[in-house]
Amino acid sequence: MKMIDNMERPIVQMFRAYWQELMNRKVYLLTALLFLVGSFFLSQAVVFDMAVPFFLPIWALASMRYRQHMIYVFIGGMAGSAFLGVGQAVIHLAQLLLFHSIIKIPVVKRSVPIAVAGAMIIPQLVWQLVKYGDGMLPLAIQLSIGLEALLALFMTIFMLLAFPSIERMLYGPWNPEQISAMCIVGALAATGMGGFQIGTVSVAGVFLFLAIFVAAVVGGVPFATTVGMIIALIIGVSELSFTGMMALYGMTGLLAGSLKRFGKLGVITGSVFVSLFFLLYDATLPLDTVHFSTVGAAALLLLLIPSRKLSQIRQVLLPKQEGISEKRQQWLADKLDGQLAEFQQFAHFMSTLVNDRLSPEEEVAATSQVPSICQSCFRYRKCWESEEDSIEPLIDEWETTYSATKKAARVRVEQQMKYKCLRFKGLMNELEERGANKLLMGQLQHGRKMLALQLRDMSTHIEKVMREVKEDLTTYKLAEEELANRLQSQAIEFFQIDILSEERGACRIVISVPEKKADFEAETTVGEYLLLPILEQMYEEPMYISKSTYQPFPFPHVQLTFSSAVRFSLEYDIVTTAGKGSFNGGDAYELFKIHDGLSAVLLSDGMGQDINAYHESRKVIRLMRECLGQKMDPETAIHTLHYMMALNGLDDMYATLDLALIDLQEGRLWSWKAGSMSTYIKRSDECIRLDSKTVPFGFLPSFSIEAKNEKLKSGDIVVMTTDGIFNGDVPLDIQEDVMNQTIERFKDMDCRTIADQVMMEMERVFESVEDDRTILVMKVGHIVPKWSKANKQPRIISS
């Protein structure tokens, strides 16, 4: 006899049966949910702000491999299309019907991506022809249709790579191509989410950051960097105005993977640090409350994922391998090279696309022309065709003074125009409007130039990251064998050779040699007098011993680390003084090392002779040094500083800048100038002049700068000055001759003496004492290694 308490009630039994049925169909329901949600967001994902190409590829995938889930793709895709408009939903429906019609053709059935592309083109062409009605489509519309079909073709390929049959997905190993394709598809689906938020949390951002976090935990730096770069690339392609976030996603993957050893908290800390860094580095990025809330939500989800689940994910994504052969290493290195080349090509395309948006028609429209109010005036011939009473020179002078901060010159010209023009008030209104448009056009063009340069810098940084990743996969077996043969031919004993890097200027080679054999020998004796000559001959660059350590195990020996050295030495000195009758000078200068082989020289002249001019020039120096310290390209840094100075809204706050980078490894000087004086290189009887015609920082809304470079030789004297050295009332070539003669007389003296003598001679001959004066003198010389003295052949004297 059973007790009532031990009997299962009918409602509990019914619930248990439903739950068991649900668990049996778990895979089917999750796949259905994935297709429903994925097709909803992919159908409304917009690429390049004009193309919607991703509904038909997911429909093709479902019809080829997941036929039982086609209904969910249809519901989700049509719902997503409806959010973009009824017209878009009709186009997607027509494309779907056309795809099923042409896929039955045997020739087309062999290539599903081509069928998808064809089904994309025909409905769009019919739709646009009906829309325009005249039978002629604009070229931009034709290109957009072709681009949409091309994107759909590639998306179909990615879909077929990312989603094989359900059995292979659940139980088969995932290859790198499948993982990359999944990242691309997931990122594109996330872009379709748009502004979908839950409170202050962006759902798309949570998925993106969570993917980077998981990649960092399970794969470390290489995997997290790859996932971050793929996400950054897709986000940048889908939203051109969002390209500034590309660097943030890439750096998040890099730093999060670097802190993998500290677990989940290390990965989260690294990502938060990157967001805070970009918040301080670039105020134009949308790093607001929504962004940090999104990162926090993704971090919380990462903490909630059990470690056991992460281990299972690691086994699926990155199965353990016993070893990697040399051919596999070479294959991975070549693949990284290919991915890097594609990314650089994309960055170059984006830079060209953004930088060249100003068409020739817009440039012609921006040039000066006869005001419309003058064309209808009865005094047109007198004002514009008469040489004596022409008003055109006054209008040209007014347009020249419009962008200047001092208003006195413009007011003077306006008074002269007022006496000549009967319609003065209307003419001034038209000129004001034209001047404002010209200013805005210049600022817009400069902003586009800055964006293009930032894209180029981002490509450079990504290239450096990929090169460092590739270094871990590169072997130098052949180079090590060649170096070993060279050492054996010279009868030099060694135990082991490890080549860590062969990059020019950054070589690192470790050679293990026996310990010293006599008391008079130092640990580095063999390296300095025997090994260095061989290494310098092999790599054709100077080297030095950067590290020497004694190792007692497994047997006593010395490990010598050889690194690239610089070829040239640099001596310098500076002489500066304030202008006549002033206690404060507006000149500022700084010389510092970026690294051992590269020195930067900064010389700035603020407008004026008061403390404000000095502060302005010091601000330019400080900001430029910070930019160079952050590995920013000099051209990008100069454009950024000019834009900041031009928009600061302060009167008379101009400053020149003379930037020189001296490469002591290759012996080359790179010069960038913004309103500064020429740089002079005194070489024997020759004097080389590097100059530029660019304006000071903040002087004009449009700004361009070019770099000039010159090869340096031992014994060269480089001279940089501010404009106070010269007298503006005397021809410049005469003053340059005097300066050149002075340098020639004292070229054998130290830099301080040369600077003092040039300063005094220019003051004595030309009385150039009114303005602030600064002169910087540098001497370049060769570095002679120690072994060169030991290897000299003795001179034989014949009897």
Side-chain angles (χ1 to χ4, degrees):
M1 180 179 179
K2 294 184 178 180
M3 302 294 295
I4 295 178
D5 291 339
N6 294 333
M7 295 180 63
E8 195 173 46
R9 298 180 181 273
I11 188 171
V12 177
Q13 186 177 6
M14 185 185 305
F15 177 80
R16 184 182 296 275
Y18 282 139
W19 178 256
Q20 187 64 35
E21 180 68 18
L22 183 64
M23 295 304 295
N24 293 336
R25 295 175 57 84
K26 177 178 63 175
V27 174
Y28 176 86
L29 295 177
L30 290 177
T31 308
L33 180 63
L34 176 64
F35 276 101
L36 180 67
V37 176
S39 59
F40 177 81
F41 289 115
L42 283 174
S43 62
Q44 55 182 334
V46 181
V47 180
F48 293 119
D49 297 331
M50 59 180 177
V52 190
F54 300 136
F55 167 66
L56 197 57
I58 192 173
W59 176 263
L61 172 69
S63 62
M64 293 294 104
R65 296 177 179 173
Y66 300 87
R67 301 186 63 86
Q68 67 274 25
H69 297 94
M70 292 175 63
I71 183 62
Y72 305 105
V73 176
F74 181 81
I75 295 173
M78 288 295 102
S81 302
F83 275 85
L84 296 178
V86 179
Q88 188 63 51
V90 172
I91 292 176
H92 279 169
L93 185 60
Q95 292 172 349
L96 185 150
L97 295 175
L98 182 61
F99 172 77
H100 277 283
S101 300
I102 65 177
I103 199 65
K104 297 178 182 179
I105 303 175
V107 177
V108 179
K109 192 174 182 180
R110 297 177 182 176
S111 180
V112 177
I114 295 178
V116 171
M120 294 284 292
I121 293 178
I122 297 176
Q124 283 284 12
L125 285 175
V126 174
W127 177 272
Q128 297 298 335
L129 288 173
V130 173
K131 182 178 178 180
Y132 283 86
D134 56 356
M136 293 297 295
L137 293 180
L139 181 60
I141 299 298
Q142 299 178 28
L143 292 176
S144 65
I145 294 175
L147 176 63
E148 188 172 11
L150 186 63
L151 291 173
L153 186 146
F154 284 109
M155 186 61 177
T156 306
I157 297 175
F158 290 142
M159 284 282 188
L160 296 176
L161 283 175
F163 297 94
S165 62
I166 192 66
E167 294 79 11
R168 287 186 57 189
M169 283 190 62
L170 293 179
Y171 306 110
W174 290 10
N175 53 43
E177 292 79 9
Q178 182 180 356
I179 298 173
S180 301
M182 281 190 174
C183 292
I184 294 174
V185 174
L188 289 172
T191 59
M193 295 182 182
F196 181 52
Q197 297 182 5
I198 300 177
T200 59
V201 177
S202 171
V203 177
V206 169
F207 285 117
L208 295 179
F209 278 103
L210 184 60
I212 296 176
F213 292 167
V214 173
V217 172
V218 303
V221 174
F223 192 50
T225 304
T226 303
V227 173
M229 287 179 57
I230 292 175
I231 292 175
L233 180 64
I234 299 303
I235 294 297
V237 169
S238 61
E239 298 183 40
L240 294 180
S241 61
F242 214 53
T243 51
M245 296 292 288
M246 295 172 67
L248 184 139
Y249 283 107
M251 292 300 296
T252 299
L254 173 65
L255 195 56
S258 301
L259 299 180
K260 172 193 173 183
R261 68 183 67 181
F262 301 105
K264 296 180 181 178
L265 293 179
V267 171
I268 295 171
T269 303
S271 63
V272 173
F273 175 79
V274 172
S275 297
L276 293 175
F277 171 76
F278 277 88
L279 178 65
L280 299 175
Y281 175 75
D282 191 354
T284 62
L285 295 180
L287 303 180
D288 50 6
T289 306
V290 174
H291 174 80
F292 286 97
S293 300
T294 302
V295 175
L300 181 61
L301 290 177
L302 178 67
L303 293 175
L304 294 178
I305 298 178
S307 300
R308 179 174 54 85
K309 291 293 183 181
L310 292 176
S311 300
Q312 294 176 357
I313 295 174
R314 183 184 295 109
Q315 291 297 327
V316 173
L317 300 181
L318 301 170
K320 291 184 178 180
Q321 300 178 355
E322 295 298 328
I324 302 180
S325 62
E326 293 184 9
K327 291 185 178 180
R328 177 67 175 176
Q329 289 180 346
Q330 185 63 38
W331 178 82
L332 289 175
D334 294 340
K335 189 171 183 179
L336 284 177
D337 286 339
Q339 292 178 350
L340 178 59
E342 292 177 0
F343 183 81
Q344 287 178 330
Q345 184 179 3
F346 168 75
H348 175 71
F349 164 73
M350 292 297 300
S351 300
T352 307
L353 181 68
V354 174
N355 193 24
D356 297 339
R357 282 298 181 93
L358 190 62
S359 62
E361 292 77 7
E362 293 176 323
E363 293 180 353
V364 172
T367 59
S368 61
Q369 56 185 354
V370 179
S372 59
I373 193 171
C374 293
Q375 297 176 4
S376 62
C377 181
F378 69 94
R379 299 188 63 185
Y380 173 80
R381 289 182 177 272
K382 183 177 182 181
C383 293
W384 288 93
E385 297 181 0
S386 174
E387 296 182 359
E388 297 179 357
D389 297 332
S390 177
I391 199 175
E392 185 176 2
L394 292 177
I395 291 180
D396 292 340
E397 186 178 356
W398 185 92
E399 290 180 341
T400 303
T401 59
Y402 180 78
S403 60
T405 55
K406 288 186 177 181
K407 310 301 181 184
R410 191 171 66 178
V411 172
R412 177 181 56 80
V413 178
E414 290 178 357
Q415 291 296 329
Q416 296 178 10
M417 295 171 58
K418 187 174 183 181
Y419 291 112
K420 281 184 171 289
C421 184
L422 296 177
R423 299 181 179 181
F424 173 73
K425 193 170 288 187
L427 177 63
M428 291 308 303
N429 290 336
E430 185 173 348
L431 290 180
E432 289 274 359
E433 181 179 357
R434 192 163 73 182
N437 290 336
K438 189 175 181 180
L439 284 173
L440 290 176
M441 183 62 68
Q443 292 179 357
L444 178 61
Q445 187 179 9
H446 182 69
R448 289 170 174 171
K449 179 68 174 180
M450 286 179 56
L451 180 57
L453 292 174
Q454 289 174 356
L455 282 172
R456 186 189 65 182
D457 281 3
M458 182 188 62
S459 176
T460 303
H461 290 311
I462 295 297
E463 179 184 4
K464 183 178 179 181
V465 172
M466 296 291 286
R467 191 186 303 119
E468 292 177 354
V469 174
K470 183 183 173 182
E471 284 291 333
D472 297 335
L473 303 173
T474 305
T475 59
Y476 300 101
K477 183 176 180 180
L478 296 178
E480 291 171 357
E481 292 178 354
E482 180 183 355
L483 181 56
N485 293 332
R486 289 174 180 252
L487 297 182
Q488 291 173 359
S489 65
Q490 297 293 328
I492 300 175
E493 296 183 12
F494 67 93
F495 298 125
Q496 185 175 350
I497 298 175
D498 296 306
I499 298 180
L500 306 180
S501 173
E502 285 188 320
E503 182 182 357
R504 186 168 181 81
C507 290
R508 285 183 61 84
I509 302 171
V510 180
I511 302 179
S512 299
V513 299
E515 61 178 332
K516 60 182 181 178
K517 300 179 180 179
D519 294 336
F520 61 85
E521 290 186 6
E523 290 183 352
T524 58
T525 300
V526 175
E528 290 175 350
Y529 293 101
L530 297 179
L531 298 179
L532 276 177
I534 296 176
L535 291 174
E536 293 186 0
Q537 182 182 9
M538 178 176 175
Y539 289 99
E540 297 181 350
E541 63 173 315
M543 292 189 176
Y544 74 105
I545 300 176
S546 59
K547 186 179 181 182
S548 173
T549 58
Y550 174 77
Q551 300 291 339
F553 300 103
F555 49 84
H557 66 280
V558 178
Q559 282 187 354
L560 300 176
T561 302
F562 298 87
S563 302
S564 298
V566 296
R567 300 172 183 265
F568 295 89
S569 62
L570 182 66
E571 300 177 6
Y572 72 95
D573 215 322
I574 302 171
V575 175
T576 181
T577 181
K580 184 175 181 181
S582 175
F583 292 99
N584 298 300
D587 296 348
Y589 56 86
E590 193 160 348
L591 193 150
F592 61 94
K593 285 185 178 181
I594 298 178
H595 53 76
D596 290 337
L598 187 64
S599 296
V601 184
L602 299 172
L603 185 60
S604 179
D605 182 6
M607 296 302 173
Q609 297 177 352
D610 55 4
I611 193 66
N612 291 329
Y614 175 75
H615 286 163
E616 196 68 15
S617 58
R618 283 305 308 172
K619 182 174 71 173
V620 169
I621 295 291
R622 176 178 55 83
L623 293 176
M624 179 57 67
R625 178 163 186 171
E626 290 178 358
C627 292
L628 295 176
Q630 295 297 331
K631 304 299 187 293
M632 185 181 292
D633 186 86
E635 185 180 0
T636 307
I638 290 176
H639 275 277
T640 304
L641 290 186
H642 170 72
Y643 200 59
M644 293 170 57
M645 298 284 288
L647 299 181
N648 62 5
L650 300 176
D651 291 340
D652 299 329
M653 287 294 105
Y654 306 140
T656 66
L657 177 69
D658 196 348
L659 167 62
L661 293 181
I662 302 176
D663 187 349
L664 299 177
Q665 172 71 21
E666 297 293 338
R668 185 170 293 276
L669 182 143
W670 297 83
S671 177
W672 291 266
K673 295 181 181 294
S676 57
M677 298 300 294
S678 302
T679 297
Y680 303 93
I681 303 176
K682 179 65 176 174
R683 178 180 300 160
S684 186
D685 297 332
E686 182 184 6
C687 186
I688 303 172
R689 174 177 170 179
L690 303 178
D691 55 9
S692 178
K693 297 182 179 180
T694 54
V695 297
F697 282 144
F699 191 72
L700 291 175
S702 61
F703 184 80
S704 62
I705 192 169
E706 59 181 3
K708 294 188 176 181
N709 70 90
E710 184 67 28
K711 185 71 175 178
L712 296 177
K713 296 182 179 180
S714 179
D716 285 352
I717 301 176
V718 183
V719 179
M720 299 170 60
T721 69
T722 57
D723 58 354
I725 292 291
F726 302 98
N727 191 330
D729 299 329
V730 181
L732 183 60
D733 54 349
I734 298 177
Q735 301 182 70
E736 288 178 342
D737 290 339
V738 173
M739 184 177 68
N740 186 21
Q741 295 171 7
T742 306
I743 298 174
E744 177 67 24
R745 287 200 307 269
F746 298 95
K747 63 181 181 180
D748 296 328
M749 301 294 181
D750 58 274
C751 296
R752 179 74 179 190
T753 302
I754 297 176
D756 284 333
Q757 293 299 326
V758 171
M759 179 81 75
M760 290 188 296
E761 189 69 11
M762 299 299 286
E763 292 177 0
R764 184 185 66 83
V765 178
F766 302 107
E767 298 180 354
S768 54
V769 294
E770 297 295 331
D771 197 2
D772 304 326
R773 303 175 301 284
T774 300
I775 179 170
L776 189 150
V777 178
M778 295 171 282
K779 277 189 171 184
V780 179
H782 270 307
I783 295 179
V784 181
K786 295 181 180 180
W787 61 264
S788 63
K789 301 177 182 178
N791 284 353
K792 287 183 178 179
Q793 296 293 332
R795 186 170 55 184
I796 301 175
I797 302 176
S798 59
S799 57

